[in-house]
Amino acid sequence: MSDILHRIGAMAFPEDVYATLTTTDGLARWWTADTKGDSDPGGVVAFRFGEAGGFDMKVLEARPSELVRWEVVDGPEEWIGTQIRFDLKREGEWTIILFRHEGWREQVEFMHHCSTKWATFLMSLKSLVETGQGQPAPYDVRVSNWH
């Protein structure tokens, strides 16, 4: 098994970062504008990226200002069964986000692409909580011919 790991800091309060990870409005403002579903634990959130398709995430856990954890229940074969985890902690004026996309069966080329895209979307999350403006799909950074 392989994981995608990122660490990013935001000049924002943990509760504000948490809100962007646990509401469909918040998620739509940094990851993809086409976000729908139930963002409460046990619910499923659907993230769509136009012609590229999308992912359905079951919310496994949400601890205010500390942790959000999802499991991919529908989407590309490589993603199904993997888990997405956001650990939040306060360090001075910063909220540190430790991101994990865990459980990839193998390190395929798509994993390389997804790692880069996760980094761009995490920068969108940072921008959203610091300035009020993120870059969700379809306004995100295009990193290759896969988008």
Side-chain angles (χ1 to χ4, degrees):
M1 297 284 202
S2 296
D3 302 336
I4 294 171
L5 306 172
H6 292 289
R7 179 187 187 272
I8 191 165
M11 295 288 285
F13 292 107
E15 54 269 20
D16 295 332
V17 175
Y18 180 80
T20 67
L21 298 171
T22 56
T23 63
T24 53
D25 179 60
L27 292 161
R29 294 179 62 211
W30 70 267
W31 195 14
T32 178
D34 190 357
T35 299
K36 296 176 179 64
D38 179 359
S39 57
D40 293 327
V44 175
V45 182
F47 301 95
R48 297 296 177 264
F49 296 84
E51 293 179 14
F55 316 97
D56 290 352
M57 308 282 187
K58 181 175 183 181
V59 181
L60 299 178
E61 193 172 1
R63 280 188 266 146
S65 302
E66 291 180 20
L67 171 71
V68 175
R69 197 164 57 91
W70 306 325
E71 180 178 357
V72 182
V73 294
D74 195 19
E77 181 182 339
E78 296 92 344
W79 278 49
I80 294 180
T82 63
Q83 292 190 7
I84 313 294
R85 180 181 181 117
F86 302 86
D87 286 283
L88 308 177
K89 63 181 179 174
R90 189 76 172 163
E91 289 186 2
E93 296 181 58
W94 294 87
T95 294
I96 303 300
I97 304 158
L98 295 176
F99 170 86
R100 298 178 192 156
H101 186 168
E102 304 173 309
W104 287 74
R105 289 182 289 283
E106 53 187 321
Q107 294 180 8
V108 295
E109 188 176 355
F110 187 46
M111 184 179 180
H112 294 261
H113 171 77
C114 292
S115 180
T116 305
K117 286 305 292 189
W118 273 123
T120 67
F121 285 121
L122 289 168
M123 292 302 293
S124 173
L125 169 60
K126 173 184 173 64
S127 178
L128 174 61
V129 297
E130 290 182 345
T131 71
Q133 183 67 46
Q135 287 184 283
Y139 314 106
D140 56 316
V141 175
R142 187 171 181 129
V143 300
S144 76
N145 60 323
W146 290 354
H147 193 76

